[in-house]
DNA sequence: CGTGTTATTGACCAACATCAAACTTAGTGG
DNA sequence: CCACTAAGTTTGATGTTGGTCAATAACACG
């Protein structure tokens, strides 16, 4: 057994938060060939139409999945944080129908699809954990859809802040009530189906009423109760096992 | 080997459209214990908060997955057609975070989760097909989100009509350019993040410009080219193998 | 310091929502 | 087969959230 790459640490922590895996599973994962690569901010890891032969594990930084529609409008589908394997969403699909881009400078680990597929066939428990992870991602997507379809701009933004906080906490990436939100206002707009101008105004509102505070790319939650209420946020859909 | 229940026929056809499975796989699936049940229109098969011990295969009729938000607003996440296994989305999750309701009188087949899980562990090829199916469903969800987030009401409605036509065609449930759309205008609204009144107006527009025709619960596509253009529809995301 | 990116403002506008009423269709029981 | 009822559709009037455009102010970074 090789020494586990530090890249796996956060994956284990994440998997542990959603589905218990054994030490043997861990060892098998750590033995997978992993090619680490630095990705520059604002570049794509996978572009729409690609047929990647590797699967990527996010080790450090933030990624997002998005798509540009016919008339140039952009929709962001998800934000990915360290420990995520965003490509799980396309492991069994030949060509990507959306893109995966770096919001910040990132470190990702590429794993050959074949190795991963082989491991999953051998270790049903790991396969179950990964499948569960994709299902949770789908649940997050549904929550996102519900927001964009039916919630007001205030609710959407508050909800997203709650979600990111809880997810980051589960992998130990929060600092008290503060966390990094490496996303500008127009990216936020593209995620939430709003315009950048409106996002700006709602954010001012939220700050003005003392619910959150922003400093640079960091957000501090000043009043979790009110934020949660404003976003109609219920963490169940994240299916985390620990304390939310 | 038992005679396959007619309920499985359409599942096979659907699986075949997304991932080739062998005759042995088919036989194994057909041997699963299947408890058929009629579901009345407008009743729930699975309610939010349920922890079902069975997994359901839709044999006849239409289902939809939805959720009621905090202030009574409703969002529909997906429409399910015969051959779908909507519960695949929650096979590895304990409690459902949304509901599954019958849009029409339905026949569903319940399969004990344990039997299905056992079969999937034994037959990686079937597991791959099912996993692929859940990934396609996630891709459909992303397309849906993109529409709700970034497309106009006209585009959203046109897109949905295109999607349903293509999906129904893949399981042989279209009649030329006509198909059943067992959904009223306020359900359409809840699916697309619009109001029922606005859906009504856009539909009138679409009919007036000769793109579609509706008669009762049936839609006839009069001009596929224009409908596809109006909806900015590209069927790739459905990942079907046959002719689109 | 300068230069490109991001945030903020203001004026104005449009798409879509809401409300409420009327009309149509479909389903049901006698 | 008709009458009755509930469900769904259509219409009009009016309101609001959030979009667009364009200019200015703040940053961040080399």
């Amino acid at each position: 057994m090789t020494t586990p790459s530090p890249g796996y640490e956060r994956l284990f922590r994440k998997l542990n938060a959603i589905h218990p895996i054994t030490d043997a599973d861990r060892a098998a994962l750590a033995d997978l060939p992993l090619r680490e690569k630095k990705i520059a901010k604002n570049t794509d890891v996978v572009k729409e139409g690609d047929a990647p032969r590797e699967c990527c594990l996010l080790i450090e930084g933030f990624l997002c999945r998005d798509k540009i529609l016919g008339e140039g409008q952009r929709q962001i589908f998800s934000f990915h944080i360290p420990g995520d394997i965003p490509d799980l969403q396309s492991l069994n699909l030949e060509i990507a129908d959306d893109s995966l881009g770096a919001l910040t400078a990132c470190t990702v680990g590429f794993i050959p699809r074949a190795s991963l597929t082989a491991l999953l066939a051998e270790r049903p428990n790991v396969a179950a954990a990964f499948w569960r992870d994709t299902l949770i991602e789908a649940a997050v997507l549904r929550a996102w859809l519900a927001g964009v379809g039916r919630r007001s701009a205030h609710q959407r933004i508050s909800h997203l802040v709650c979600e990111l906080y809880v997810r980051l906490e589960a992998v130990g990436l929060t600092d008290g009530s503060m966390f990094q939100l490496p996303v500008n206002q127009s990216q936020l707009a593209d995620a939430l189906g709003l315009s950048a101008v409106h996002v700006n105004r709602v954010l001012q509102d939220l700050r003005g009423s003392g619910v959150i505070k922003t400093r640079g790319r960091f957000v501090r939650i000043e009043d979790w109760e009110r934020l949660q209420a404003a976003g109609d946020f219920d963490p169940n859909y994240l299916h985390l096992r620990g304390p939310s």
Side-chain angles (χ1 to χ4, degrees), chain A residues 55-199:
Chain A
C55 187
C56 106
L57 160 67
L58 179 52
I59 297 171
E60 215 184 315
F62 289 75
L63 295 174
C64 77
R65 185 172 287 281
D66 71 351
K67 181 174 172 108
I68 308 293
L69 306 186
E71 286 149 37
Q73 319 100 296
R74 179 189 193 204
Q75 178 66 47
I76 293 179
F77 299 120
S78 52
F79 293 125
H80 293 283
I81 66 178
D84 285 356
I85 305 191
D87 274 350
L88 237 39
Q89 286 292 324
S90 46
L91 186 61
N92 285 311
L93 302 177
E94 296 70 34
I95 52 154
D97 49 13
D98 48 20
S99 306
L100 194 59
L103 291 166
T104 62
C106 291
T107 312
V108 304
F110 286 110
I111 303 167
R113 283 188 172 204
S115 318
L116 188 54
T117 311
L119 184 143
L120 294 179
E122 243 169 62
R123 305 199 151 260
N125 193 45
V126 177
F130 277 29
W131 192 343
R132 184 177 159 97
D133 185 58
T134 68
L135 293 179
I136 293 175
E137 221 180 297
V140 172
L141 210 57
R142 283 193 293 270
W144 207 302
L145 173 58
V148 172
R150 285 299 183 217
R151 285 199 248 258
S152 72
H154 271 82
Q155 291 178 307
R156 285 181 226 180
I157 293 182
S158 307
H159 195 277
L160 181 60
V161 173
C162 289
E163 176 186 316
L164 285 174
Y165 179 75
V166 171
R167 284 175 57 201
L168 287 167
E169 231 226 331
V171 287
L173 281 173
T174 51
D175 172 13
S177 63
M178 195 163 82
F179 67 93
Q180 193 192 354
L181 181 65
V183 161
N184 67 31
Q185 294 182 357
S186 67
Q187 290 166 330
L188 227 40
D190 287 335
L192 298 169
L194 297 167
S195 71
V197 172
H198 201 62
V199 167

Side-chain angles (χ1 to χ4, degrees), chain A residues 10 29 64 168 219:
Chain A
R10 216 166 309 263
L29 280 166
C64 77
L168 287 167
V219 178

